[in-house]
Each structure stands twice: as C-alpha cells, then as structure tokens.
Amino acid sequence: MASASAFLLKSSPVLDKSEWVKGQTIIRQPSVSVVRCHPNAPSALTIRAGSYADELVKTAKTVASPGRGILAMDESNATCGKRLASIGLENTEANRQAYRTLLVSAPGLGKYISGAILFEETLYQSTTDGKKMVDVLVEQNIVPGIKVDKGLVPLAGSNDESWCQGLDGLASRTAAYYQQGARFAKWRSVVSIPNGPSALAVKEAAWGLARYAAISQDNGLVPIVEPEILLDGDHGIDRTFEVAQKVWAEVFFYLAENNVMFEGILLKPSMVTPGAECKERATPQQVADYTLKLLKRRIPPAVPGIMFLSGGQSEVEATLNLNAMNQAPHPWHVSFSYARALQNTCLKTWGGRPENVKAAQETLLVRANANSLAQLGKYTGEGESEEAKKGMFVKGYVY
Amino acid sequence: MSAFVGKYADELIKNAKYIATPGKGILAADESTGTIGKRLASINVENIESNRQALRQLLFTSPNALSFLSGVILFEETLYQKTSDGKPFVEVLQENNVIPGIKVDKGTVELAGTNGETTTQGFDSLGARCQQYYKAGARFAKWRAVLKIGPNEPSELSIQQNAQGLARYAIICQENGLVPIVEPEILTDGSHDIKKCAAATETVLAAVYKALNDHHVLLEGTLLKPNMVTPGSDSPKVPADVIAEYTVTALRRTVPPAVPGIVFLSGGQSEEEATVNLNAMNKLEVLKPWTLSFSFGRALQQSTLKIWAGKKENVGKAQEGFLARCQANCEATLGKYTGGNAGGLASESLYVKGYKY
C-alpha cells in the first residue's frame, strides 16, 4: 500500500478558515496526514503541512521489520543506578557511559535489533571511544529512539494510582531530539489492577498517551504508545483481559480524537497474563491466545507494529510467550521491546569489568537472537542458561 | 469490560463468519411498506400485499441467484410471507443456505436543535421482538443509523447519539441470538470532497467501535455495513481506485480484525458503480483482515424491478437480470469482476437527494 499511503498522505485536508473562526462544532480532521491549523492571527491561518508523514510511516515500518525488535535501554539515571548497584557499581556518568557503550557496540546487534530507546543523557553522550552513541547505532542499522516522559507521579483523586508527566514543552523537546538524531519516542503510562483501576486513571493514561503521540508525530518522531498494565497483583488472566480491553478501547478512541496517524505509530503493550502473585499460572499458549484475542478486538490493522514489553517476566518466559504468539498468522508485526529481558544476563556477565565486555556482549546477542527467532515463530529454547530463566518481577517496582 | 459472552455466543460467531464468506454477500430486501410503495410506484404497480409478495418471490426464487448470497435482510411482513405455492420465504432461503435477517429499527426522527440530523428509533420491546424473529427463523438483524456531512455536521451530538444507539441495539440482538449488522450510514448528499467524507467516516467509525466496546458487544459476532468513502453527490466523481484507497484506509484505521466481515451499502450509486467500486477494493494489495462484500438493496434490484414492471410474463427475464447482478457482485468480492455485464439500466444512478428511506 506504499503508493496509496503516499498519495493519501501528501494531499492533506484543510480546515476552512471560515469553519475555524465560527467556533462551531466541526468534524475532526482525519489522520490522512499530519495537518495542524494554528490561527496565530485572526486573519492568518498557518497550516503546517504533514512534512513528516511519509518519514513516520517509513520509520515505523523499519522498526517493525521481520526478525527484529527493540532494545529498551532508556533507564533513567536513578533506575540505571539500581542496575549498576546490583553488580556493585557506583552510579556515575562514566559507569553509565561504559555500560551503554557495551550495549550499542555489540557487534552485529543490528541483525536482531531494529531500534534502541535511549534516555536523554545517552542521546547526547559519546561512547568511551569518543563516538556519538547515536552515530554508533545508526551505523549498526539501529534506529535511535528517545524516552520523552518525565515519570510517574501520584494521581490526585484516584485510588492511589499514578499518572505520567511530560507534556509541558514536549513539542520543543521532541523537535530538539529529532535534530539530535532520534526518530522515535517512548512514553510509559501505567495502570494498576490491584488499585482498581479507576476509570479516572485509565482515562488519564489514555489521554496523556494520545496527546504525547500527536505532539511527537508533529515533530517527526514515531510515538511508541505504551499503556503498561502492571504485573502486580493476584488477579487471574481473565481479569487482566477485562482491564486490557477497556484500556485499549480508551487509548484508541483518544488517539483517533487527537488525529494521530495510525500508520506512523507503534504499540508497546503488556501481554495478557495472570498477576505475578496469582497461584494459577498460564502457559505460553494461553498467554498467546488471550493476547491475540485482545489485539484482534482492539487494534486497527493500520498499526504496523506491536512490540511487547517484558514487565518482569524472565528472559526465557518473555521469549517463549512471544514465540507462541507468532505461531499463527495475524495482521501485525508482533515483536519485542525488552529492557530487563534482554539486558539481565548481559549486565551480570559484565559485572563492571572491562575484561568481561566481550562475553557480556555475547550474551546480549544470544538473547537478541532468541527473541529475533521468537518474532519469526522459530524459537526452540535450546541451550538456555539458568540465569535467563530467573524471574525478574519486583513487587511494587518503581521504574 | 470484556465482551458479553451469552448462550448464543458460538452461534453468533458462526453465523457472522458464514455471512462473511468470501464470494457471497447480502441482498437487502427489507424496504418498509412505505418505501417499497415508492419502488412499485416507479413501475406503476399498486402497493398491495400481493404485489409486495410477488416481487420478493421473484427475487428469492431466481434460479441460481441464491448461491451467491449468504444472507437476505427482510422486512417484518416478508418474514412471515409465503410463496404462491404456500412455502414460507424463510424456508426457501434456508434450503438454499441463505441466512434470513430482519430489519428491526423503526426509522429515523430528527434531533431537535440540529440542522436536520437524526437518531434512529426502535428500542421499545426490542429484546422481545428479537426473540420472536429468532423463533421465526431470523438469525441476523439490521439497524440503520444515518449521519450527514455539512459545515457543522456530523455534530458531536449526532455522532454520540447514533453510536450509542447502534451499540445498544447490537447488544440486545446478541442477547437474543441475532447477529447485529451495524450500519452507520453517512449520506453522500453535499458538495464536499472525498477527503471530507474520509474524515467523517473515520471519526464516526472510531466513535461506533468505542461505543460497541463500552457496551460489551462481541465483535466476532457482528458485521459492519458502512458507506463507501466517496465525494459528495454534488462533487465531481473520482475513479474507483481512489474510492477504494480512501475506503480501505478508513477501515484499516478503525475496524478491529475481530469483525469478520464488512458489507457495504450502495447508497445512491448505480448498480455498475457499486460493483466496480467493490471490485477495486478487493483488488487492493494491502492487508484487509475482514471480508469486503456487499449488502445492496437498490444496487441489486433496480434493473430487475424495471424489467419485471409488475408483469408475470417478465418474471423470467427479470430473474435473469437479478442473477447477473448477484454474480457480478460475487465476482467483485473476489476482485475478479471484469465489468460491463450491464446495459443502460445498470449504469443508471440511483441517487435521490435527501433520500428518505
């Protein structure tokens, strides 16, 4: 549909000046292209053409290429500090730089990884060899992405739930990140089942995501839309399914209301699983069945890629579940956007020692390869280490 | 808010899937008594029950035509009618693997305070009526919501009202064993271009699916009957490929894959236009996880009606005409229509300004 999309995207519908000025209810413009109308002065209508529309579609397609997924390495400094502490390292910029250098320089990483999400510090950093991180990624055929949210804070009036900050100044920040080389963005909202979730929390999460997505597209970044339904809780898989259906219905409705172009977004959902403390566990097949059912009921086919988060699953669990989902045909590219599930063994193998870098990079490539196979539905699980099977769920995990 | 999975769930899913069989489609023969009167008047035939029965018998007994149909939508009177040999129409359809459907709405009324926008009536005792229709052999239902495009239309009120109405109708049907066809028709009346129609269609469909989800409707047991995305009736026409691209794009952005089939309404398009557009859509090489088929009223019956002209001696020829249209549209659902098996009649526009159904 490449030519068709191009055709449709170039010719953008325009709000007639008279319609705007009247202030009456007007039909919303579609996401046929990224058109924004800004009446700066009463007599002038600045119409921003959808100059990024084609690029957004292309970037989304590239990240959603067969056999590849996303390496999430956008841990905030505080969170990265926890990772470093777990291997006895101090949380200094040098150590963060050393660790991220290790990750982005793993030879041949681009065979399995199509995109890497960075934290702001890393976007502007150089490797220990003095090369820009962004340049190393691009050379590896990996699209650089950037975390743009400013974290979760308590949501007043809710049932002890949170909401995601970061809309203030987002337009100029995303424009600056684009200049620096980022081509996709990520924003993480969360929903907690033990806390309800309340209708307020779900609405806020969905609306915030929609606003962020519209602003990102305006500035050339493909928004990854991530409403994470936390693993915490003792609820069963049916309850997760119920909540997920509500969350995704809200998310897509608000995305549509904000005129987000679906051909230029990616989704980062949590898989549909029982809560971490639920006594009844689910097999990868069950997780796949429930998750695919959810996708079929809520996700329009125009969305090019669905990159699952791991959310505390063990490295092997995350790979097995992804593999199960890719056994039957479905309309989207179903892949991964993993942080802990890609980095855990690698981090432990490195332990902060330069002499371990090569071995650590090897383990990263092993996990990346496993998940690449899972994306193609071809993972067999042979030769997995014990470390890789360790669950990584942390109760009340603060990102 | 999971989908409601009641005692009819499996049957609903099975029937919806069958109706969406590639290569088949729906004959919309559910014109109300008033509306069918207009059709009969156009061929100088009196609007009495025997004539209404004769027309429907002509259609349902057309040799081989039923093999191209997976469903027929009936008006209430027709659901209980028989052939002149005394066989219930419902049985004729069932014997030929055609699922009988039933129109359950009671027409539109204006929304006060709007510029001629409407909402659809029919909720009173809808559940009980559906049960009766199920007993009589119906297995799917149809409810037509109508929206229009204008400087300030469709308004937020009209969109919300019609979306909620469709969702409420849909869940009541599913509770009573009928697959709901969800029909949010956006009229072609107006001088707007195709982009405006695309915008309105995407907005309306997003609201419709949000409402369906909020009402716990089981999407796998529904069908969608939308308008094609076209320029307004007063605007210059565009080629079928363009209509196909805009229409399929709008659907890819709004209709979840769980919906098994999308059966287009023909609006005021001519028989040939409707077929050619449907064909172009099915030829598009892009992922379309739902069947794209037809639920045509005028676009299947118009020339048949004219050939019949109410005369017994014309029945055979009229039935041939009907078969030809059914076959053409069947080919169109497979992207295999090569066109031109019509004549002047099939190319006649069926557009009526401010059309009241």
Side-chain angles (χ1 to χ4, degrees):
Chain A
M1 177 94 160
S3 60
S5 314
F7 166 75
L8 292 175
L9 293 168
K10 283 202 178 73
S11 38
S12 20
V14 167
L15 273 178
D16 196 59
K17 174 188 162 179
S18 61
E19 293 168 2
W20 180 268
V21 166
K22 254 195 228 138
Q24 306 259 23
T25 310
I26 46 175
I27 56 162
R28 288 151 284 193
Q29 291 304 303
S31 32
V32 172
S33 91
V34 186
V35 170
R36 298 287 175 261
C37 293
H38 301 271
N40 293 325
S43 58
L45 257 191
T46 312
I47 296 152
R48 205 157 351 130
S51 50
Y52 292 116
D54 290 348
E55 191 183 340
L56 291 169
V57 174
K58 192 157 153 286
T59 302
K61 271 211 178 110
T62 302
V63 174
S65 50
R68 299 205 294 165
I70 293 176
L71 166 61
M73 42 183 287
D74 60 316
E75 297 84 357
S76 62
N77 289 348
T79 303
C80 197
K82 288 189 205 163
R83 304 268 186 271
L84 296 171
S86 78
I87 51 169
L89 280 191
E90 218 187 320
N91 190 11
T92 60
E93 206 209 320
N95 284 338
R96 294 193 293 272
Q97 180 199 38
Y99 180 49
R100 268 68 183 264
T101 301
L102 184 161
L103 295 175
V104 306
S105 319
L109 188 62
K111 191 157 167 247
Y112 315 114
I113 301 294
S114 54
I117 319 178
L118 307 174
F119 180 61
E120 190 180 54
E121 178 188 78
T122 322
L123 185 68
Y124 289 95
Q125 253 180 355
S126 296
T127 63
T128 45
D129 303 320
K131 250 187 130 160
K132 284 205 183 125
M133 292 270 184
V134 173
D135 290 344
V136 175
L137 286 171
V138 170
E139 264 167 38
Q140 290 255 53
N141 201 22
I142 300 175
V143 180
I146 175 70
K147 187 227 300 285
V148 304
D149 71 71
K150 288 190 176 278
L152 302 166
V153 288
L155 176 61
S158 74
N159 189 22
D160 255 340
E161 295 154 292
S162 62
W163 66 294
C164 187
Q165 293 188 134
L167 291 178
D168 290 4
L170 184 59
S172 34
R173 284 195 299 123
T174 45
Y177 295 148
Y178 182 94
Q179 288 306 317
Q180 184 62 10
R183 287 296 177 271
F184 71 92
K186 170 260 185 120
W187 170 290
R188 176 178 174 263
S189 288
V190 302
V191 162
S192 165
I193 296 181
N195 294 66
S198 65
L200 171 63
V202 172
K203 199 171 249 195
E204 170 57 37
W207 184 257
L209 278 167
R211 292 295 308 132
Y212 136 79
I215 294 170
S216 298
Q217 286 196 332
D218 247 14
N219 293 286
L221 303 183
V222 170
I224 295 188
V225 174
E226 178 179 354
E228 174 172 359
I229 299 169
L230 298 170
L231 209 49
D232 301 52
D234 57 7
H235 50 275
I237 195 169
D238 285 315
R239 177 71 184 135
T240 308
F241 186 49
E242 195 179 348
V243 171
Q245 287 183 100
K246 172 69 175 173
V247 167
W248 284 105
E250 295 270 314
V251 168
F252 270 98
F253 185 56
Y254 294 142
L255 285 172
E257 284 206 304
N258 278 270
N259 293 320
V260 173
M261 182 184 59
F262 291 160
E263 292 87 347
I265 68 173
L266 293 163
L267 302 185
K268 181 164 168 167
S270 36
M271 297 184 197
V272 180
T273 66
E277 285 125 324
C278 178
K279 298 206 174 61
E280 254 183 76
R281 306 312 304 158
T283 61
Q285 192 53 53
Q286 283 172 311
V287 170
D289 287 345
Y290 272 87
T291 308
L292 283 173
K293 203 175 208 166
L294 167 76
L295 298 180
K296 286 190 175 147
R297 285 183 180 174
R298 294 293 181 267
I299 317 296
V303 174
I306 302 180
M307 331 289 289
F308 281 97
L309 60 91
S310 49
Q313 297 174 56
S314 76
E315 288 177 331
V316 170
E317 239 183 316
T319 305
L320 280 171
N321 288 336
L322 181 63
N323 189 55
M325 264 187 274
N326 281 303
Q327 295 306 309
H330 47 57
W332 317 271
H333 170 87
V334 170
S335 185
F336 58 93
S337 172
Y338 293 164
R340 286 173 278 174
L342 275 170
Q343 297 180 45
N344 192 44
T345 306
C346 171
L347 182 73
K348 301 233 150 63
T349 308
W350 177 48
R353 297 176 186 290
E355 61 269 25
N356 293 342
V357 165
K358 215 159 172 281
Q361 288 178 329
E362 271 306 306
T363 66
L364 176 66
L365 290 168
V366 163
R367 287 263 48 87
N369 181 27
N371 286 303
S372 160
L373 288 170
Q375 200 290 310
L376 299 165
K378 296 199 169 96
Y379 172 71
T380 57
E382 281 177 39
E384 292 286 18
S385 73
E386 276 316 302
E387 182 67 40
K389 295 187 191 149
K390 269 209 201 115
M392 286 180 288
F393 171 69
V394 172
K395 199 180 163 89
Y397 179 66
V398 176
Y399 199 86
Chain B
M1 47 105 80
S2 281
F4 168 68
V5 177
K7 68 178 187 180
Y8 292 109
D10 289 341
E11 194 182 333
L12 291 169
I13 294 173
K14 187 164 143 277
N15 286 334
K17 222 173 171 195
Y18 176 72
I19 295 172
T21 303
K24 289 186 193 276
I26 295 174
L27 163 64
D30 60 319
E31 298 87 353
S32 62
T33 308
T35 303
I36 199 67
K38 289 188 208 162
R39 303 263 188 277
L40 296 172
S42 76
I43 52 169
N44 290 318
V45 171
E46 208 187 335
N47 187 12
I48 50 179
E49 207 212 320
S50 54
N51 285 335
R52 297 195 290 273
Q53 184 263 355
L55 170 60
R56 272 63 183 265
Q57 173 164 327
L58 185 161
L59 297 171
F60 303 159
T61 59
S62 289
N64 301 320
L66 292 187
S67 66
F68 299 113
L69 302 176
S70 51
V72 174
I73 320 178
L74 305 169
F75 180 61
E76 190 173 1
E77 178 190 74
T78 324
L79 186 67
Y80 297 101
Q81 272 180 335
K82 304 179 163 71
T83 65
S84 40
D85 299 329
K87 194 173 205 177
F89 280 150
V90 166
E91 265 180 52
V92 174
L93 296 175
Q94 287 167 338
E95 275 168 16
N96 285 280
N97 295 317
V98 179
I99 301 184
I102 176 74
K103 185 229 296 288
V104 302
D105 72 73
K106 289 186 179 273
T108 58
V109 287
E110 282 199 12
L111 287 167
T114 67
N115 182 18
E117 292 177 292
T118 64
T119 184
T120 301
Q121 297 188 123
F123 288 112
D124 290 0
S125 304
L126 181 58
R129 290 169 54 221
C130 285
Q131 280 176 25
Q132 289 307 310
Y133 296 144
Y134 184 94
K135 282 204 187 86
R139 288 295 178 272
F140 72 94
K142 169 269 185 101
W143 171 287
R144 180 173 172 263
V146 182
L147 300 108
K148 67 186 231 187
I149 293 176
N152 306 308
E153 291 85 17
S155 65
E156 184 69 28
L157 170 64
S158 158
I159 293 171
Q160 284 312 315
Q161 179 67 202
N162 282 293
Q164 288 294 319
L166 282 166
R168 188 77 195 110
Y169 138 80
I171 193 70
I172 292 173
C173 283
Q174 290 194 331
E175 286 180 278
N176 295 289
L178 302 181
V179 170
I181 294 190
V182 174
E183 180 177 354
E185 174 171 2
I186 303 173
L187 299 171
T188 54
D189 298 45
S191 52
H192 52 273
D193 62 14
I194 194 169
K195 287 173 206 144
K196 189 123 194 233
C197 179
T201 304
E202 286 175 26
T203 301
V204 168
L205 288 178
V208 166
Y209 279 98
K210 179 66 165 64
L212 290 174
N213 293 335
D214 286 345
H215 284 250
H216 310 294
V217 175
L218 179 69
L219 294 183
E220 293 89 335
T222 66
L223 294 161
L224 178 69
K225 179 164 170 168
N227 51 282
M228 298 186 194
V229 177
T230 65
S233 50
D234 296 336
S235 294
K237 291 206 181 289
V238 301
D241 303 345
V242 175
I243 290 176
E245 280 173 10
Y246 274 91
T247 307
V248 175
T249 297
L251 298 171
R252 276 169 50 81
R253 288 173 174 176
T254 53
V255 186
V259 176
I262 299 178
V263 290
F264 290 96
L265 58 94
S266 46
Q269 296 177 49
S270 73
E271 289 176 332
E272 185 67 7
E273 252 181 309
T275 306
V276 167
N277 288 335
L278 180 63
N279 188 56
M281 275 184 245
N282 278 294
K283 285 180 79 167
L284 269 183
E285 274 172 26
V286 70
L287 182 92
K288 313 170 230 92
W290 353 256
T291 313
L292 293 178
S293 185
F294 58 93
S295 173
F296 292 164
R298 287 172 279 173
L300 273 173
Q301 300 179 56
Q302 192 65 11
S303 47
T304 302
L305 194 69
K306 295 231 150 74
I307 298 171
W308 176 50
K311 302 189 174 25
K312 265 212 171 78
E313 58 270 28
N314 294 341
V315 166
K317 226 164 167 262
Q319 289 183 322
E320 275 173 31
F322 180 59
L323 171 64
R325 272 338 303 159
C326 287
Q327 192 159 3
N329 284 302
C330 155
E331 285 168 15
T333 72
L334 301 168
K336 294 203 167 92
Y337 181 59
T338 46
N341 73 7
L345 280 179
S347 307
E348 230 178 75
S349 168
L350 300 166
Y351 171 68
V352 172
K353 198 179 171 87
Y355 180 64
K356 291 273 181 288
Y357 197 88

